[in-house]
Amino acid sequence: MSNPALPQVCDSAPLTRPPLSAEAAASAAAVFKALADPVRLRLLSAIAARASREACVCEISAGLDLAQPTISHHLKVLREAGLLVSERRASWVYYRLVPAALAGPAELLLTEADQVPA
């Protein structure tokens, strides 16, 4: 029979690493939020699928049944999250993938899944 005067203490396992900090969580959440849209994932994939990891906006918008302002908005969200950089060349804008920006969230997910690559 337990003593109601004694506080209950859970029996938890010891930490194997520090939990995610508030700053790291906020940073990762911004990237995940940018990726949490099917159109943005398709745009990112269309750029990443190119050998140079860069594409003109006219190339990546092909096949998407969306107005140009909508595509521009999605590309802006990806840029603001640090996943893409852009460069104007004459009358076209070229977008380039920032692989390091994907490495952080990928590593976070692998770490949380206890699947850190060796």
Side-chain angles (χ1 to χ4, degrees), residues 10-113:
C10 64
D11 184 23
S12 61
L15 291 174
T16 58
R17 61 178 168 73
L20 199 58
S21 71
E23 295 82 19
S27 178
V31 174
F32 289 131
K33 185 175 179 179
L35 293 172
D37 182 280
V39 171
R40 291 194 284 267
L41 282 174
R42 289 183 67 199
L43 290 168
L44 192 75
S45 178
I47 296 166
R50 306 253 174 210
S52 63
R53 301 289 195 259
E54 108 175 340
C56 174
V57 68
C58 64
E59 296 169 323
I60 57 179
S61 59
L64 293 175
D65 191 24
L66 296 169
Q68 185 59 46
T70 303
I71 291 172
S72 293
H73 165 74
H74 286 296
L75 290 168
K76 177 184 175 189
V77 171
L78 292 169
R79 263 192 351 263
E80 289 176 347
L83 296 165
L84 298 176
V85 292
S86 62
E87 177 185 349
R88 180 169 290 285
R89 297 181 196 159
S91 60
W92 294 106
V93 177
Y94 286 78
Y95 290 87
R96 189 170 45 259
L97 182 68
V98 180
L102 289 172
E107 185 177 318
L108 170 67
L109 291 174
L110 289 170
T111 299
E112 294 303 320

